[in-house]
Amino acid sequence: MDSVPALDEPLKKVLGPATAKVMAEHLGLHTVGDLLHHYPRRYEERGQLTHLADLPMDEHVTVVAQVADARLHTFASSRAPRGKGQRLEVTITDGSGRLQLVFFGAGVHKPHKELLPGTRAMFAGKVSVFNRRLQLAHPAYELLRGDAEETVETWAGALIPIYPATAKLESWKIGKALQTVLPSAQEAADPLPGPLREGRGLVTLPEALLKIHRPHTKADIEEARARLKWDEAFVLQVALARRRHADAQLPAVPRRPRPDGILAAFDGRLPFTLTEGQRKVSEEIFADLATDHPMHRLLQGEVGSGKTMVALRAMLAVVDAGGQAAMLAPTEVLAQQHHRSVIEMMGDLAQGGMLGGADDATKVVLLTGSMGAAARRQALLDLATGEAGIVIGTHALIEDKVQFHDLGLVVVDEQHRFGVEQRDALRGKGKQPPHLLVMTATPIPRTVAMTVFGDLETSVLDQLPAGRSPIASHVVSAADKPHFLARAWERVREEVEKGHQAYVVCPRIGDEEDGAKAKKKSPEDEAEKRPPLAVLDTAEQLARGPLAGLRVDVLHGRMPPDDKDAVMRRFAAGEVDVLVATTVIEVGVNVPNATAMVIMDADRFGVSQLHQLRGRVGRGSAPGLCLLVTEMPEASPARQRLNAVASTLDGFELSRIDLEQRREGDVLGQAQSGTRSSLRMLAVIDDEEVIAEAREEAARIVASDPDLERLPALRTALDALLDEEREQYLEKG
């Protein structure tokens, strides 16, 4: 075999250094194989023109259209004071709309000769607005001449691939580069086992690559897509199946609760009955804890569905069995809050070794980075001796100094906020791998759970505990209906008068450091010429204006931890009426008396984040109210997002909307593997069936051949997917 297989050939050898450099820097494409897997976004039919009527603003577009009119104007300018400046205005049409193209200066000569009325071409550029009309300034273009022997029919019917492009490299230049490398597709090793491919009627990989880049018919495109989706789903599921298989070989200490131990004592005192969902999920967890290989379970539950209670019962089961349990929280505020609520729930069962402690009691310690030296020393001692059965902390738990007597269970709260390295470091603290329970309040559609958390078994809590109240949500359009905003502040006052409390959430803190950061503006900010609203400014304006006379306080991530905790305690005790905060309150903050939330610049937050924030109200018996304040116009995508959040309390529905809008990031973790998505063809939401079937096939193949010795091409594909960073990511999953 050649020393460099055809698909690993660097692009600079094949296409020349200039083009290869742009492809590497702007599209992340380095080899012939990378380019072959850069699929068209869509196809244009020469005879079926793009709709100019619905061009998106500020995006790079490619359109196929006909020149209707071309005029050359001269004008005076600072560069050409004698009226020698030249501007070429070309109007193109596709039957649905018209679009103006403009060329200036020396750039007018070539298009003036070539873009004559009646000429058809592909045009690419960034859509902008001038004099209230859409235009493309200096677009790149390619004339569509059609070879002489091509009949009009085949010419009109030909499918032109339109590739994801950049300002530096237009779609048809990518198309030309692909023409050069396409013969190498014949060398592509097929990762799908033959019987699987034939059983599902899928074309071979070389054929799929040819058909996706050079289709003759729409059926070609469908066949190619069906095959390439299977590749992505299958290779990824094989990676996850191997991960699960390897985990199942690891030894772990089975942890079974004693019939008369601390768990039984805790259950006996509960002032309420567990929901059906809590009981079912607890049984799944206890069954996993009793096995001799480590549990890897994802517990997802709506905001307020009682995940903490399920996690606490799992931790008590492990303490019963003589082990220790650690709960990792993403912020100090949350760690302190979990610590408080666990001690409240356990009562004297949390007073191990103290006067007044119950017979079966254990010690529950808190460990965070900002603790005083003496308290920290004591906590470390309690962990090392086994005196403390439960520890709750931030990533301070991961430091080398922290030693456990016998770590049996790790509970990770809000998984998406922890790097995999952190989770891995904590798991390394057990003498044998501890059991792992990952909790998230961000609902994850089933297929995403099968891909992102495919190495974890999944449990879902979808009932709310009795006594929870509904939350009414409304979008407040501050720009065109300022009286709605005034009414929002009146509603907050009304809630406070009834003896309740309220949150006001802002995207920014608003101190000086923050000001420096605010200079890096997103395109949305540029469009609005206004930085996002800030906690410190908003709190001051509210206290002086619409909420004058109420007790207003602030909470944000850069406050010293003790100050944060003091503010939360005052708010929980009812000594603060309105808390103006950043998203530091997003997760886990529990104040049942808070009934109203006003989210300022709500369009700056993601759908799932808004849903999380909203879950902070309506936690008691009084109904909750969430007002989403925005200045975005009615028709904007941002407003559609907010309307979706206001229209449903179903987190799973919202997570689908969120995912469809953001498109899938890299399912193997964005931070861990750069920004290029490993999924180019598969849509995690739409291709549920493919993913589910691929998962079954992968499990079957890995069970019979864990090292894939009989499937070398699949191994190669797996190695390509799991470059080192991703491999580590899965290793540490």
Side-chain angles (χ1 to χ4, degrees), residues 565-585:
D565 199 39
V567 170
M568 271 322 296
R569 278 173 194 273
R570 285 204 302 278
F571 189 61
E575 295 162 19
V576 172
D577 297 321
V578 179
L579 186 62
V580 184
T582 54
T583 53
V584 69
I585 62 156

mmCIF file of all heavy atoms in Angstrom, residues 565-585:
data_model
loop_
_atom_site.group_PDB
_atom_site.id
_atom_site.type_symbol
_atom_site.label_atom_id
_atom_site.label_comp_id
_atom_site.label_asym_id
_atom_site.label_seq_id
_atom_site.Cartn_x
_atom_site.Cartn_y
_atom_site.Cartn_z
ATOM 1 N N ASP A 565 -23.382 34.191 49.906
ATOM 2 C CA ASP A 565 -24.154 33.327 50.797
ATOM 3 C C ASP A 565 -25.038 34.164 51.724
ATOM 4 O O ASP A 565 -26.199 33.829 51.977
ATOM 5 C CB ASP A 565 -23.204 32.438 51.612
ATOM 6 C CG ASP A 565 -23.934 31.243 52.187
ATOM 7 O OD1 ASP A 565 -24.797 30.684 51.470
ATOM 8 O OD2 ASP A 565 -23.689 30.888 53.346
ATOM 9 N N ALA A 566 -24.493 35.300 52.194
ATOM 10 C CA ALA A 566 -25.263 36.165 53.101
ATOM 11 C C ALA A 566 -26.505 36.704 52.385
ATOM 12 O O ALA A 566 -27.604 36.733 52.943
ATOM 13 C CB ALA A 566 -24.381 37.310 53.600
ATOM 14 N N VAL A 567 -26.338 37.121 51.107
ATOM 15 C CA VAL A 567 -27.481 37.656 50.352
ATOM 16 C C VAL A 567 -28.529 36.560 50.171
ATOM 17 O O VAL A 567 -29.729 36.778 50.378
ATOM 18 C CB VAL A 567 -27.031 38.185 48.958
ATOM 19 C CG1 VAL A 567 -28.240 38.519 48.089
ATOM 20 C CG2 VAL A 567 -26.164 39.422 49.127
ATOM 21 N N MET A 568 -28.077 35.348 49.802
ATOM 22 C CA MET A 568 -29.031 34.247 49.589
ATOM 23 C C MET A 568 -29.766 33.914 50.887
ATOM 24 O O MET A 568 -30.962 33.641 50.884
ATOM 25 C CB MET A 568 -28.316 32.987 49.070
ATOM 26 C CG MET A 568 -28.183 32.865 47.570
ATOM 27 S SD MET A 568 -29.578 33.423 46.573
ATOM 28 C CE MET A 568 -30.883 32.313 47.034
ATOM 29 N N ARG A 569 -29.028 33.945 52.001
ATOM 30 C CA ARG A 569 -29.683 33.645 53.291
ATOM 31 C C ARG A 569 -30.742 34.699 53.606
ATOM 32 O O ARG A 569 -31.833 34.376 54.056
ATOM 33 C CB ARG A 569 -28.649 33.614 54.423
ATOM 34 C CG ARG A 569 -27.905 32.296 54.524
ATOM 35 C CD ARG A 569 -26.787 32.419 55.570
ATOM 36 N NE ARG A 569 -25.866 31.307 55.453
ATOM 37 C CZ ARG A 569 -26.032 30.136 56.076
ATOM 38 N NH1 ARG A 569 -27.082 29.923 56.831
ATOM 39 N NH2 ARG A 569 -25.148 29.173 55.933
ATOM 40 N N ARG A 570 -30.396 35.989 53.346
ATOM 41 C CA ARG A 570 -31.362 37.069 53.639
ATOM 42 C C ARG A 570 -32.593 36.926 52.745
ATOM 43 O O ARG A 570 -33.717 37.099 53.184
ATOM 44 C CB ARG A 570 -30.720 38.455 53.411
ATOM 45 C CG ARG A 570 -29.751 38.864 54.504
ATOM 46 C CD ARG A 570 -29.597 40.394 54.585
ATOM 47 N NE ARG A 570 -29.151 41.007 53.349
ATOM 48 C CZ ARG A 570 -27.876 41.058 52.962
ATOM 49 N NH1 ARG A 570 -26.931 40.524 53.728
ATOM 50 N NH2 ARG A 570 -27.545 41.636 51.825
ATOM 51 N N PHE A 571 -32.339 36.566 51.469
ATOM 52 C CA PHE A 571 -33.463 36.417 50.538
ATOM 53 C C PHE A 571 -34.343 35.235 50.987
ATOM 54 O O PHE A 571 -35.568 35.332 51.036
ATOM 55 C CB PHE A 571 -32.932 36.195 49.114
ATOM 56 C CG PHE A 571 -33.997 36.248 48.043
ATOM 57 C CD1 PHE A 571 -34.748 37.404 47.839
ATOM 58 C CD2 PHE A 571 -34.251 35.147 47.243
ATOM 59 C CE1 PHE A 571 -35.732 37.457 46.843
ATOM 60 C CE2 PHE A 571 -35.237 35.188 46.251
ATOM 61 C CZ PHE A 571 -35.977 36.352 46.059
ATOM 62 N N ALA A 572 -33.682 34.114 51.342
ATOM 63 C CA ALA A 572 -34.438 32.928 51.775
ATOM 64 C C ALA A 572 -35.227 33.217 53.051
ATOM 65 O O ALA A 572 -36.312 32.668 53.262
ATOM 66 C CB ALA A 572 -33.486 31.756 51.985
ATOM 67 N N ALA A 573 -34.677 34.101 53.908
ATOM 68 C CA ALA A 573 -35.348 34.416 55.173
ATOM 69 C C ALA A 573 -36.436 35.475 54.990
ATOM 70 O O ALA A 573 -37.089 35.876 55.951
ATOM 71 C CB ALA A 573 -34.317 34.898 56.185
ATOM 72 N N GLY A 574 -36.595 35.981 53.750
ATOM 73 C CA GLY A 574 -37.651 36.969 53.502
ATOM 74 C C GLY A 574 -37.253 38.390 53.863
ATOM 75 O O GLY A 574 -38.102 39.282 53.951
ATOM 76 N N GLU A 575 -35.935 38.627 54.048
ATOM 77 C CA GLU A 575 -35.502 39.987 54.423
ATOM 78 C C GLU A 575 -35.209 40.850 53.196
ATOM 79 O O GLU A 575 -34.859 42.013 53.317
ATOM 80 C CB GLU A 575 -34.245 39.907 55.310
ATOM 81 C CG GLU A 575 -34.506 39.243 56.650
ATOM 82 C CD GLU A 575 -33.222 38.769 57.319
ATOM 83 O OE1 GLU A 575 -32.137 39.263 56.940
ATOM 84 O OE2 GLU A 575 -33.306 37.897 58.205
ATOM 85 N N VAL A 576 -35.291 40.242 51.994
ATOM 86 C CA VAL A 576 -35.097 40.982 50.742
ATOM 87 C C VAL A 576 -36.353 40.764 49.902
ATOM 88 O O VAL A 576 -36.808 39.622 49.760
ATOM 89 C CB VAL A 576 -33.853 40.445 49.980
ATOM 90 C CG1 VAL A 576 -33.746 41.076 48.595
ATOM 91 C CG2 VAL A 576 -32.580 40.704 50.779
ATOM 92 N N ASP A 577 -36.928 41.854 49.350
ATOM 93 C CA ASP A 577 -38.139 41.707 48.536
ATOM 94 C C ASP A 577 -37.808 41.329 47.097
ATOM 95 O O ASP A 577 -38.458 40.490 46.488
ATOM 96 C CB ASP A 577 -38.940 43.031 48.510
ATOM 97 C CG ASP A 577 -39.421 43.421 49.897
ATOM 98 O OD1 ASP A 577 -39.824 42.521 50.649
ATOM 99 O OD2 ASP A 577 -39.368 44.622 50.228
ATOM 100 N N VAL A 578 -36.805 42.018 46.529
ATOM 101 C CA VAL A 578 -36.477 41.813 45.114
ATOM 102 C C VAL A 578 -34.974 41.578 44.993
ATOM 103 O O VAL A 578 -34.175 42.402 45.438
ATOM 104 C CB VAL A 578 -36.869 43.052 44.266
ATOM 105 C CG1 VAL A 578 -36.499 42.827 42.804
ATOM 106 C CG2 VAL A 578 -38.370 43.330 44.391
ATOM 107 N N LEU A 579 -34.611 40.447 44.389
ATOM 108 C CA LEU A 579 -33.195 40.129 44.195
ATOM 109 C C LEU A 579 -32.857 40.353 42.726
ATOM 110 O O LEU A 579 -33.423 39.698 41.845
ATOM 111 C CB LEU A 579 -32.933 38.668 44.579
ATOM 112 C CG LEU A 579 -31.470 38.238 44.560
ATOM 113 C CD1 LEU A 579 -30.646 39.032 45.559
ATOM 114 C CD2 LEU A 579 -31.350 36.744 44.869
ATOM 115 N N VAL A 580 -31.955 41.305 42.449
ATOM 116 C CA VAL A 580 -31.514 41.571 41.074
ATOM 117 C C VAL A 580 -30.221 40.773 40.879
ATOM 118 O O VAL A 580 -29.245 40.998 41.605
ATOM 119 C CB VAL A 580 -31.275 43.080 40.847
ATOM 120 C CG1 VAL A 580 -30.908 43.337 39.382
ATOM 121 C CG2 VAL A 580 -32.521 43.880 41.218
ATOM 122 N N ALA A 581 -30.228 39.835 39.930
ATOM 123 C CA ALA A 581 -29.123 38.873 39.859
ATOM 124 C C ALA A 581 -28.754 38.538 38.430
ATOM 125 O O ALA A 581 -29.516 38.786 37.495
ATOM 126 C CB ALA A 581 -29.533 37.585 40.586
ATOM 127 N N THR A 582 -27.563 37.939 38.270
ATOM 128 C CA THR A 582 -27.188 37.345 36.983
ATOM 129 C C THR A 582 -27.698 35.899 37.003
ATOM 130 O O THR A 582 -28.406 35.497 37.922
ATOM 131 C CB THR A 582 -25.659 37.320 36.814
ATOM 132 O OG1 THR A 582 -25.116 36.646 37.958
ATOM 133 C CG2 THR A 582 -25.085 38.710 36.716
ATOM 134 N N THR A 583 -27.261 35.096 36.043
ATOM 135 C CA THR A 583 -27.758 33.710 35.977
ATOM 136 C C THR A 583 -27.152 32.847 37.078
ATOM 137 O O THR A 583 -27.339 31.639 37.077
ATOM 138 C CB THR A 583 -27.402 33.078 34.619
ATOM 139 O OG1 THR A 583 -26.006 33.246 34.427
ATOM 140 C CG2 THR A 583 -28.151 33.734 33.502
ATOM 141 N N VAL A 584 -26.446 33.453 38.012
ATOM 142 C CA VAL A 584 -25.910 32.694 39.142
ATOM 143 C C VAL A 584 -27.062 31.991 39.881
ATOM 144 O O VAL A 584 -26.875 30.971 40.530
ATOM 145 C CB VAL A 584 -25.094 33.630 40.077
ATOM 146 C CG1 VAL A 584 -25.969 34.617 40.801
ATOM 147 C CG2 VAL A 584 -24.289 32.849 41.083
ATOM 148 N N ILE A 585 -28.300 32.482 39.717
ATOM 149 C CA ILE A 585 -29.447 31.833 40.377
ATOM 150 C C ILE A 585 -30.057 30.742 39.505
ATOM 151 O O ILE A 585 -31.045 30.135 39.877
ATOM 152 C CB ILE A 585 -30.567 32.855 40.694
ATOM 153 C CG1 ILE A 585 -31.106 33.463 39.392
ATOM 154 C CG2 ILE A 585 -30.082 33.924 41.634
ATOM 155 C CD1 ILE A 585 -32.501 33.999 39.498
#
